[in-house]
Amino acid sequence: MRVLVAEDDAGLRSVLERGLRESGYVVDAVDDGERALAFLRAYDYEAAIIDWRMPKVSGLDVVRELRRRRSAVPILMLTARDAPSDRVTGLDEGADDYLVKPFDFGELLARLRALQRRSPVLQSTHLVVGDVEYVPATREVRVGSEKRSLTATELSILELLMRRSPAVVGRRSIAVHVWAEEADALGSNTIDVHLARLRAKLASGHVRIETVRGVGYRIVAA
């Protein structure tokens, strides 16, 4: 799943970027509000983590602009401002949640998962298609009663397909949500190779990953 991190502190931005990638997210990280708005115009994100104090355009103004455009992307605001009035302002202007620095990274992950569950596309914490089950919080996959070991890329593809099932997920959507540089995936057979490996690992289950020619892929109960 793709998230945006907008944080001007280089050290914290690096920690967030590394930690989120290790947790299975595709991350775009920027250091000012102007670039944050540019990235938010270019990509559809599952969530955005935005610092209140940033150069060029403040985090609060980024939130205001997103809501003015009627963007529904879930927003977690980071700030050192811990007065109740500041929290009220941030939430009233359109932030969905608020985390005061310093914070525990585990709590940030939990809040991020909670924000994703509010999205109409990303609702469940426990995904099931046929006899395949996936729990994003633990990254555990079961086919029937057996655990399956998947790579980080395979997990990301599986999660996206299961969350959208039975709808078809386009190749570009897969590339954008799973790869940091979507052009690398679209300009080669990378997606097809990973889908073939994923199909093989789920072959004993009562599911099938279908190719919809010219459109994309979907996972359905067999």
Side-chain angles (χ1 to χ4, degrees), residues 41-105:
R41 282 191 291 269
Y43 295 103
D44 291 325
Y45 290 99
E46 273 68 42
I49 300 170
I50 298 177
D51 183 38
W52 184 309
R53 291 183 179 274
M54 286 191 294
K56 297 185 179 179
V57 179
S58 74
L60 189 62
D61 284 335
V62 170
V63 174
R64 286 170 174 153
E65 174 61 17
L66 283 174
R67 298 318 185 212
R68 186 188 68 78
R69 288 196 242 135
R70 302 197 181 282
S71 168
V73 61
I75 296 171
L76 174 60
M77 180 162 278
L78 303 180
T79 182
R81 305 169 70 112
D82 61 353
S85 60
D86 293 324
R87 292 196 294 272
V88 168
T89 297
L91 294 169
D92 280 349
E93 292 296 337
D96 297 280
D97 201 357
Y98 197 103
L99 196 53
V100 177
K101 302 175 185 177
F103 52 83
D104 178 79
F105 186 72

Side-chain angles (χ1 to χ4, degrees), residues 162-174:
M162 291 183 76
R163 287 192 184 279
R164 303 284 176 86
S165 180
V168 177
V169 182
R171 290 176 62 85
R172 185 178 185 278
S173 184
I174 293 173

